[in-house]
């Protein structure tokens, strides 16, 4: 079963094109290194909750949009190899700085229970 890295971030609306360029460049490398799929989603219909929500989770500001993304790998071992390479490969520097506050990004690895397509 695939292994998934999930990401949630608040990105300034004004940085949408920068974010798109940054994420496309990173996706090219992840795919080249063995990821099977990279998905980036720009918030369009993200409701605010009464107890918690994506905005609170990321401490989003009024001028920020929620981005929900994931990277799919064939397995956890491939993910570990890509993460190592991401930290060491000079090609990753060509992607540039993240166009959002990475300290407020939420991320984690997930074992796939099932996937229906």
């Amino acid at each position: 079963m695939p292994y998934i890295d999930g990401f949630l971030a608040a990105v300034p609306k004004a940085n949408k094109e920068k974010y798109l360029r940054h994420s496309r460049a990173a996706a090219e490398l992840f795919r080249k290194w063995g990821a099977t799929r990279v998905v980036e989603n720009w918030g369009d219909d993200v409701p605010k909750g009464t107890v918690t929500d994506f905005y609170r989770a990321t401490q989003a500001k009024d001028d920020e949009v929620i981005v929900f993304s994931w990277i799919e790998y064939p397995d956890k071992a491939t993910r570990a190899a890509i993460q190592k390479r991401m930290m060491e490969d000079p090609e990753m520097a060509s992607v540039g700085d993240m166009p959002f506050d990475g300290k407020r990004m939420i991320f984690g690895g997930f074992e796939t229970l099932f996937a229906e397509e």
Side-chain angles (χ1 to χ4, degrees):
M1 289 295 264
Y3 195 83
I4 306 294
D5 270 338
F7 306 90
L8 184 64
V11 178
K13 292 174 188 174
N15 286 357
K16 184 176 184 180
E17 290 306 315
K18 286 181 187 175
Y19 182 82
L20 190 55
R21 285 192 303 273
H22 179 271
S23 58
R24 281 189 189 279
E28 278 185 40
L29 292 177
F30 296 142
R31 293 286 311 232
K32 174 180 163 182
W33 296 337
T36 54
R37 188 173 184 211
V38 179
V39 179
E40 292 286 345
N41 302 281
W42 189 259
D44 177 58
D45 184 16
V46 183
K48 294 199 175 184
T50 55
V51 177
T52 190
D53 56 35
F54 287 136
Y55 299 95
R56 287 182 184 110
T58 59
Q59 299 175 352
K61 298 175 179 132
D62 289 340
D63 68 335
E64 293 179 323
V65 172
I66 300 301
V67 171
F68 176 66
S69 311
W70 69 88
I71 303 171
E72 188 173 307
Y73 310 93
D75 50 47
K76 191 173 181 180
T78 301
R79 179 242 200 177
I82 290 174
Q83 282 188 329
K84 183 176 184 329
R85 189 159 184 187
M86 180 179 67
M87 300 306 285
E88 297 172 353
D89 196 314
E91 259 190 300
M92 195 64 198
S94 69
V95 172
D97 294 331
M98 292 187 292
F100 61 92
D101 182 359
K103 293 176 187 164
R104 292 184 287 134
M105 180 172 65
I106 298 167
F107 57 92
F110 298 85
E111 177 183 325
T112 300
L113 295 177
F114 69 89
E116 291 189 28
E117 297 191 35

